[in-house]
Amino acid sequence: MDTLLTAAATLAFLLLFLGLGAWVFISLALVATSALFFLHGMDLSRIGSIAAGIIYRYSTSWELSAIPMFIWMGEIIFRTDISTRLFRGLSPFVDYIPGRLLHTNVLGCTLFAAVSGSSPATTATVGRITTRELGQRGYDDRLSLGSLAGAGSLGLLIPPSIVMIVYGILAEQSISRLFAAGVLPGLMITALYSGYIMLRAKLDPGLVPATRERRSAMDFLRALWDLAPLVVLMTIVLGSIYTGIATPSEAAAVGVIAAIAIAAVTRQLSLTLLRDTLMGALRTSTMVCSILITAAFMSTAIGYLHIPADVADGIASLNLPPWGLLVVLSLFYLGLGFFLDGTSIVVMSLPISLPLALQAGFDPIWFGVYLVLMVEMAQVTPPVGFNLFVLQGISGRSISYVARAALPFFVLMLVGVALLAVFPGIALWLPNFFYG
Amino acid sequence: MTRFYSGVFALSRLAAVIAACALVYMVGHIAYEIILRSFFATSTFVLDEFVGYAISICVIWSLGYVLEHGDLIRVGLVLDRLPPRAQQLMTAGAALVACALSAGLAWMFWIRVARAWSRGTVSSSVAAVPTWIPEGALMLGLGLFALAALSHGLRHITGHPSPAPSTPLATPVE
Amino acid sequence: ATWDLSSEYPAGSLQGQTADFFAKAVAEKTGGDIEVTVHHGAALGYKSVDHFDAVGDGALQAASSAFVFWTGIDPIFQLSSLPFLAPTSADVHDLYELAKPEYEKVLEDNNQMLLLATPWPSSGLWGNKAFTSLADLEGVKVRTYDVASTETIKNAGAFPIQISWADVPAQLSTNAIDAVLTSPNGGVGVQMWELQSNFTNVNYASSLQAIHLNLDAWDDLSEEQRAAVKEAAEDAEDFGWGLLMEATAKDFDTMRENGMTVTEEIPAEFSQALTEAAQPFIDEWIADTGERAQSIMNAYQSR
Ligand code: NA
Ligand code: NA
């Protein structure tokens, strides 16, 4: 009971500081400081020492580096004609699909998830490119932002994935197997999202602008030519990973260089372009990374308060049957997801939740995929949801607007979890097929 | 006061240029590493360490610049419902708190820098970089942000306009 | 009192088990007066390299940290990971006993104390063939993890590559690297048999990992509590050293069950060549570390 009170008090601090209008990254640092000071009773010098240690560790971490580089790549696409051509090129092909270009969010994120292991990087890069184009063309803003929030988190489920690597190392499971296990569930979520967009577009034609033109064969050829720059770019980045030339963590740099090369070949490269894209990338990525850094400090504070471990201990003492355990664990992870970021949800709870899951007979690979899905959901739940923050920054909409837009996609992820629980083969079939 | 605000902003902009250079450096170092590994079967052996230093500069040194451009997000739930003057004062309050936090943290980093210096602590890679250098860079970045936040806070009390050019990053739809 | 003990490694790892054993022993021997919460898998956000000052400053009361990450703080911590210096478990223990006063001194100078130290299983070479001569190593791209292993592998005629542990599986499956230098336990943990067919037990080095305690936390204890904590630390240390033997034998079995070929012994000639490849680094280390290093080495050789 004590633990739940501490958790409630931490959440209250969070709502208070965010509500007062402090910048999000400052709010998170304030929550951590207040929680350690008031709830743990630490003195300020110890809190300061913890803060400096964690902030140094996290702000100099290699994992963070992919974010500004991917965002820079996105800026180059955004400020050259690569993005306009992409949408012009896609248009003829999606004319007969209900929802038309709205699917670029979902498919774009799915494709981009195959190079990026992080959710904010996926959301920011794809979102930067698509929100303007879709908005100018008159697509429904809310459906556009919601699908981005939902699909951006696919960066975690579709390999490569940072969270899966962390799970694999901690749970002593094969990372290759985990990566294979994430593919089909990722595609399933993609299908759920696309199906939902089609349904919405069918039911409410006002969400999608009307089409006028009839297209000739020539139009399709021209459209293919328009798609070329982005296809080349993605081929280079994906190719560098799957031939082993670059590690997944290095792919972002390959993406930047390839994008600059394409800009040069298409005669759009200039010093102005470099300066504008760099400063633009800096502005988005500093917003995202500063929040990630102080969120790490807040996670540490929550760890010092023993909240995740104590609650997980409580769940262990309930001695639930497998299905009951799964439901309770899911509620627990949804709750953690309100205020923790991706990786820390996994590291803080795993020493207790993994043995529980294994004892209840769940497959460790399956459990990893399930956990990643829970982490994906945490990306779109307020008050701390990274995809929501990223989209607020990109679109200028308020966080509550973005959160409401993301709600249907959150529900679809829940449906995905339920399907995964009923049909574990969705996760396990591919790794078993590859590795026996 | 105007001179103070534009002076601090000039400083923030200079820091942001350095941060941008750090971003370029990250791309360059990774490209160099890939070339070494693919064609010369060797490595710089310090990739994650040096890219780590660069990313910290990239983020922390650009904070002031990004703040003044209005790109650091906040939740407007309460803020948007207040009269303009109250909004300004709330912003000023938040900025002064940010200044205090950042200055306090810079002080904690000073303790680490002084210790690393006197103990001669280096990184455990081949480069053996004295750790006071990257920690000192972070301390400096936090100090600059504290200054930028102070200026931002005072500016909202005195009602001065932002010294940053108004170039919204967000691409509002409609 | 309640102590937070941070560890970078998974709960199931040897060092994770030792930390849990210590926590339990402390609770038992102090009758529940001292409660140690172990945060496995870097759950608090700290890595081994951060533990040194976090414990010294009292940000953490205790931590379990690998010495290899502390070589930049004081070169003495390099000793246990010097390549091919202590091939048997008895050698590793002798070296530890000889160096213990030095370790204790450095920690005490930084407001903390050494409670116990236990070894990691010795690293070996994972690859798609057995490595039994220098010719086998020629031109092989080996993933290494620190300066000592990088220098030694280079001297042995192979190509050292440093990439993060997280990128290892992807780089192996695309043949961007050919072999990995890590312990049997480290490879079994990520089921490396899916990507590699051979393990060669070259007996690279058994580096140490310590559990260390903040001195202020220690000073706050009563005489009886201190005795109990000391006792718990001794028991946990014995437990950790005991784990080493069993664990390696068990890991070899696991590898074989999964179709791997394990080469438990390498030819004396190859062993000699590897030792020579490591010598320049060791000599340089002694020169850099000074008299205390030389005297430990002298004592070790003349024991
Ligand atoms: Na991914
Ligand atoms: Na959330």
Side-chain angles (χ1 to χ4, degrees):
Chain A
M1 209 52 225
D2 224 22
T3 316
L4 293 181
L5 254 168
T6 315
T10 311
L11 196 60
F13 281 131
L14 187 58
L15 295 174
L16 175 72
F17 295 130
L18 285 174
L20 283 176
W23 291 274
V24 172
F25 83 111
I26 294 290
S27 302
L28 301 189
L30 279 175
V31 172
T33 309
S34 321
L36 290 176
F37 188 80
F38 292 110
L39 305 176
H40 195 288
M42 283 186 192
D43 56 53
L44 279 176
S45 77
R46 184 171 172 202
I47 297 172
S49 158
I50 293 171
I54 295 300
I55 286 171
Y56 181 70
R57 162 66 35 233
Y58 207 75
S59 62
T60 57
S61 74
W62 164 253
E63 289 77 16
L64 208 56
S65 67
I67 294 174
M69 290 189 281
F70 272 133
I71 290 178
W72 188 14
M73 180 188 89
E75 278 291 320
I76 297 170
I77 297 173
F78 175 79
R79 287 177 201 261
T80 56
D81 70 359
I82 304 178
S83 55
T84 323
R85 286 179 65 169
L86 167 72
F87 280 81
R88 210 165 55 207
L90 283 173
S91 290
F93 296 100
V94 295
D95 265 354
Y96 303 101
I97 305 168
R100 305 224 310 281
L101 283 173
L102 272 179
H103 294 282
T104 47
N105 275 339
V106 176
L107 298 181
C109 286
T110 308
L111 184 64
F112 193 72
V115 294
S116 154
S118 122
S119 168
T122 309
T123 314
T125 312
V126 178
R128 187 78 172 128
I129 300 163
T130 62
T131 41
R132 178 185 62 181
E133 298 287 336
L134 290 174
Q136 282 172 351
R137 285 174 164 77
Y139 284 86
D140 182 61
D141 184 28
R142 189 181 278 216
L143 203 50
S144 164
L145 287 178
S147 57
L148 262 175
S153 61
L154 285 172
L156 305 176
L157 197 54
I158 292 173
S161 154
I162 295 171
V163 180
M164 274 198 184
I165 291 173
V166 168
Y167 176 84
I169 290 174
L170 293 183
E172 311 205 312
Q173 293 301 316
S174 148
I175 289 164
S176 332
R177 229 172 233 274
L178 277 167
F179 276 6
V183 174
L184 289 182
L187 295 179
M188 172 183 76
I189 300 278
T190 305
L192 284 173
Y193 289 169
S194 284
Y196 174 75
I197 290 173
M198 285 192 230
L199 191 72
R200 287 293 308 276
K202 272 275 183 221
L203 293 178
D204 184 356
L207 297 173
V208 178
T211 40
R212 285 145 264 146
E213 54 226 282
R214 293 197 63 79
R215 316 218 184 239
S216 67
M218 211 33 219
D219 287 335
F220 280 90
L221 277 180
R222 200 172 302 126
L224 275 180
W225 178 243
D226 273 336
L227 289 177
L230 200 91
V231 171
V232 170
L233 178 65
M234 287 309 286
T235 309
I236 293 173
V237 179
L238 271 172
S240 72
I241 295 180
Y242 290 96
T243 54
I245 291 172
T247 68
S249 346
E250 294 164 350
V254 175
V256 170
I257 292 169
I260 291 176
I262 290 171
V265 169
T266 55
R267 295 170 183 280
Q268 300 176 75
L269 185 63
S270 64
L271 272 179
T272 320
L273 177 80
L274 280 181
R275 193 195 59 205
D276 290 352
T277 54
L278 253 177
M279 291 325 250
L282 210 55
R283 288 165 64 180
T284 311
S285 55
T286 296
M287 181 269 286
V288 177
C289 293
S290 61
I291 298 175
L292 285 168
I293 291 168
T294 51
F297 175 36
M298 191 173 81
S299 302
T300 297
I302 288 169
Y304 270 106
L305 292 170
H306 300 182
I307 295 173
D310 285 353
V311 176
D313 262 335
I315 295 175
S317 66
L318 294 175
N319 288 317
L320 294 162
W323 282 100
L325 179 71
L326 197 62
V327 170
V328 173
L329 274 182
S330 301
L331 290 174
F332 165 60
Y333 280 118
L334 285 178
L336 276 187
F338 289 140
F339 45 103
L340 286 183
D341 84 274
T343 316
S344 48
I345 293 181
V346 176
V347 289
M348 288 194 183
S349 62
L350 206 62
I352 299 157
S353 68
L354 181 69
L356 273 181
L358 295 185
Q359 207 178 14
F362 294 110
D363 182 277
I365 298 286
W366 179 89
F367 189 69
V369 174
Y370 156 82
L371 212 52
V372 171
L373 256 171
M374 300 311 294
V375 173
E376 282 201 359
M377 281 195 257
Q379 307 286 326
V380 300
T381 55
V384 179
F386 286 102
N387 288 3
L388 305 181
F389 294 147
V390 168
L391 289 174
Q392 177 182 353
I394 287 178
S395 70
R397 292 287 194 179
S398 75
I399 190 149
S400 47
Y401 182 90
V402 182
R404 277 200 308 270
L407 185 64
F409 295 88
F410 170 80
V411 174
L412 288 172
M413 279 192 254
L414 273 180
V415 172
V417 172
L419 287 173
L420 192 69
V422 180
F423 307 107
I426 299 171
L428 295 177
W429 181 79
L430 200 60
N432 288 339
F433 176 78
F434 276 139
Y435 303 103
Chain B
M1 270 329 254
T2 311
R3 201 185 285 167
F4 173 70
Y5 298 139
S6 48
V8 171
F9 183 67
L11 212 59
S12 295
R13 196 155 49 184
L14 180 69
V17 170
I18 295 169
C21 293
L23 178 50
V24 175
Y25 168 80
M26 280 156 56
V27 174
H29 192 144
I30 292 177
Y32 181 54
E33 177 81 21
I34 292 174
I35 292 169
L36 282 184
R37 203 170 52 215
S38 308
F39 300 109
F40 302 98
T42 181
S43 156
T44 61
F45 300 109
V46 290
L47 178 67
D48 48 354
E49 178 188 348
F50 279 47
V51 169
Y53 300 150
I55 176 73
S56 69
I57 289 176
C58 180
V59 176
I60 306 292
W61 282 51
S62 60
L63 277 172
Y65 175 83
V66 181
L67 171 76
E68 220 37 276
H69 275 88
D71 297 323
L72 294 176
I73 59 164
R74 48 210 292 215
V75 176
L77 228 51
V78 178
L79 216 56
D80 293 348
R81 287 172 176 76
L82 296 175
R85 186 60 189 154
Q87 278 191 20
Q88 280 193 331
L89 290 178
M90 292 281 278
T91 304
L96 295 179
V97 169
C99 168
L101 268 186
S102 191
L105 198 59
W107 172 253
M108 294 313 297
F109 269 95
W110 166 247
I111 296 175
R112 292 170 67 95
V113 168
R115 176 167 57 204
W117 170 274
S118 66
R119 197 168 60 193
T121 303
V122 296
S123 69
S124 57
S125 70
V126 272
V129 177
T131 53
W132 66 264
I133 298 175
E135 301 209 8
L138 249 166
M139 177 188 76
L140 221 59
L142 287 167
L144 283 172
F145 176 63
L147 194 61
L150 176 71
S151 154
H152 192 81
L154 293 178
R155 184 166 78 66
H156 278 86
I157 294 174
T158 60
H160 274 70
S162 170
S166 172
T167 47
L169 182 68
T171 45
V173 267
E174 269 134 8
Chain C
T2 52
W3 291 348
D4 287 301
L5 189 157
S6 166
S7 162
E8 187 182 343
Y9 298 96
S13 66
L14 299 185
Q15 309 297 346
Q17 292 176 43
T18 305
D20 277 338
F21 184 98
F22 171 70
K24 219 171 132 214
V26 169
E28 274 168 14
K29 290 184 198 297
T30 60
D33 279 358
I34 302 172
E35 201 184 312
V36 183
T37 307
V38 184
H39 299 266
H40 295 286
L44 284 182
Y46 295 106
K47 297 285 176 79
S48 284
V49 63
D50 309 315
H51 285 159
F52 191 85
D53 284 331
V55 171
D57 290 345
L60 283 168
Q61 285 87 9
S64 168
S65 323
F67 279 172
V68 274
F69 297 108
W70 288 357
T71 55
I73 296 170
D74 191 305
I76 196 71
F77 294 114
Q78 178 78 65
L79 177 66
S80 71
S81 52
L82 286 176
F84 306 112
L85 183 63
T88 70
S89 168
D91 295 334
V92 177
H93 198 268
D94 288 348
L95 201 55
Y96 166 48
E97 288 295 337
L98 287 169
K100 200 172 176 182
E102 288 296 334
Y103 295 147
E104 285 173 335
K105 184 175 173 305
V106 176
L107 284 165
E108 242 175 75
D109 290 345
N110 289 277
N111 196 38
Q112 51 198 307
M113 61 186 286
L114 179 72
L115 281 178
L116 62 110
T118 53
W120 281 100
S122 188
S123 301
L125 283 168
W126 296 71
N128 279 327
K129 60 178 184 185
F131 299 98
T132 53
S133 69
L134 281 187
D136 288 340
L137 268 180
E138 203 167 316
V140 175
K141 288 187 183 180
V142 185
R143 187 262 178 184
T144 56
Y145 51 80
D146 64 354
V147 183
S149 55
T150 300
E151 294 291 316
T152 305
I153 290 293
K154 202 190 286 176
N155 285 342
F159 291 127
I161 298 279
Q162 246 173 298
I163 47 168
S164 91
W165 181 239
D167 285 330
V168 165
Q171 290 280 287
L172 279 175
S173 56
T174 53
N175 297 318
I177 52 173
D178 312 308
V180 178
L181 180 72
T182 192
S183 69
N185 202 248
V188 166
V190 293
Q191 308 178 359
M192 201 121 71
W193 51 79
E194 283 170 2
L195 300 161
Q196 307 259 264
S197 62
N198 277 70
F199 179 79
T200 312
N201 188 24
V202 294
N203 242 327
Y204 174 82
S206 279
S207 57
L208 292 176
Q209 169 130 345
I211 293 183
H212 46 126
L213 177 72
N214 176 270
L215 269 186
D216 302 322
W218 174 255
D219 290 339
D220 287 344
L221 300 180
S222 69
E223 277 308 320
E224 300 86 67
Q225 286 172 333
R226 285 182 196 175
V229 170
K230 274 269 183 214
E231 219 175 277
E234 275 163 28
D235 287 0
E237 189 166 84
D238 290 344
F239 171 81
W241 284 85
L243 273 183
L244 181 67
M245 308 294 200
E246 288 169 43
T248 302
K250 220 170 82 190
D251 287 333
F252 285 164
D253 286 345
T254 314
M255 289 180 207
R256 291 197 176 100
E257 275 163 29
N258 288 285
M260 286 192 69
T261 311
V262 179
T263 309
E264 289 198 40
E265 298 273 345
I266 52 169
E269 200 179 306
F270 183 40
S271 181
Q272 184 59 34
L274 288 174
T275 308
E276 278 162 24
Q279 204 54 49
F281 182 83
I282 295 177
D283 292 341
E284 199 184 323
W285 174 77
I286 294 173
D288 289 349
T289 314
E291 202 276 320
R292 52 190 177 143
Q294 190 61 61
S295 69
I296 293 171
M297 290 304 242
N298 290 346
Y300 178 64
Q301 255 120 39
S302 62
R303 93 205 116 109

